[in-house]
Amino acid sequence: MTEATERFFESLPTRAPTTLGGLATGTLQIDLGTDHQTEHWLVRMRPGTVRASRERGPADAIWYSSSALFDRLITGEAQGLAAVLRNESTFSGDVVLFLTFRRFFPNPPGTRDPRQVARQAAGRGS
């Protein structure tokens, strides 16, 4: 596992209040594979709070990703839902937990809020 992945999971509790709100409650197990080894993370999500630990356990959903893909997700170079749809990662269980967790990933580099783009375009047209 990379240092960036470790820092990502460590940052979740401080980012949870603004990222989660009341969206989901449950436990997501994230399995990150490298070669023939799998690292496990158990992420317990409650409205406004997250607790992440390096363990396996009973979970409402399980998401498997390669460590390399996960590193691209945490830098915004890849998108979680697209990776699942392309079968680059797999998911089973409560899909709401996956859809909620992906909000912790950054937007792709260079992404701009479409509302801001529209405001800027409207300002130039006046």
Side-chain angles (χ1 to χ4, degrees):
M1 176 184 43
T2 66
E3 185 178 323
T5 298
E6 186 83 31
R7 282 194 316 260
F8 172 81
F9 281 107
E10 288 173 359
S11 75
L12 295 180
T14 57
R15 296 171 50 213
T18 57
T19 303
L20 286 185
L23 294 175
T25 298
T27 304
L28 173 64
Q29 180 176 305
I30 300 171
D31 296 336
L32 303 176
T34 304
D35 298 322
H36 300 290
Q37 186 177 11
T38 303
E39 302 265 344
H40 305 283
W41 287 90
L42 202 59
V43 180
R44 292 175 180 87
M45 293 184 273
R46 304 290 179 265
T49 64
V50 168
R51 207 174 65 197
S53 60
R54 296 188 64 176
E55 59 187 73
R56 291 177 79 161
D60 301 302
I62 300 173
W63 178 29
Y64 173 81
S65 170
S66 70
S67 293
L69 173 61
F70 199 79
D71 282 345
R72 291 189 354 256
L73 291 167
I74 63 176
T75 59
E77 296 172 21
Q79 297 298 306
L81 187 56
V84 169
L85 293 174
R86 284 192 304 263
N87 206 28
E88 294 175 343
S89 66
T90 59
F91 178 82
S92 64
D94 185 351
V95 72
V96 172
L97 294 174
F98 171 72
L99 295 174
T100 301
F101 183 78
R102 71 189 179 115
R103 295 182 62 173
F104 284 105
F105 297 132
N107 290 323
T111 300
R112 295 175 48 198
D113 185 332
R115 295 168 293 192
Q116 185 63 30
V117 172
R119 285 184 204 112
Q120 288 173 345
R124 280 184 250 163
S126 299

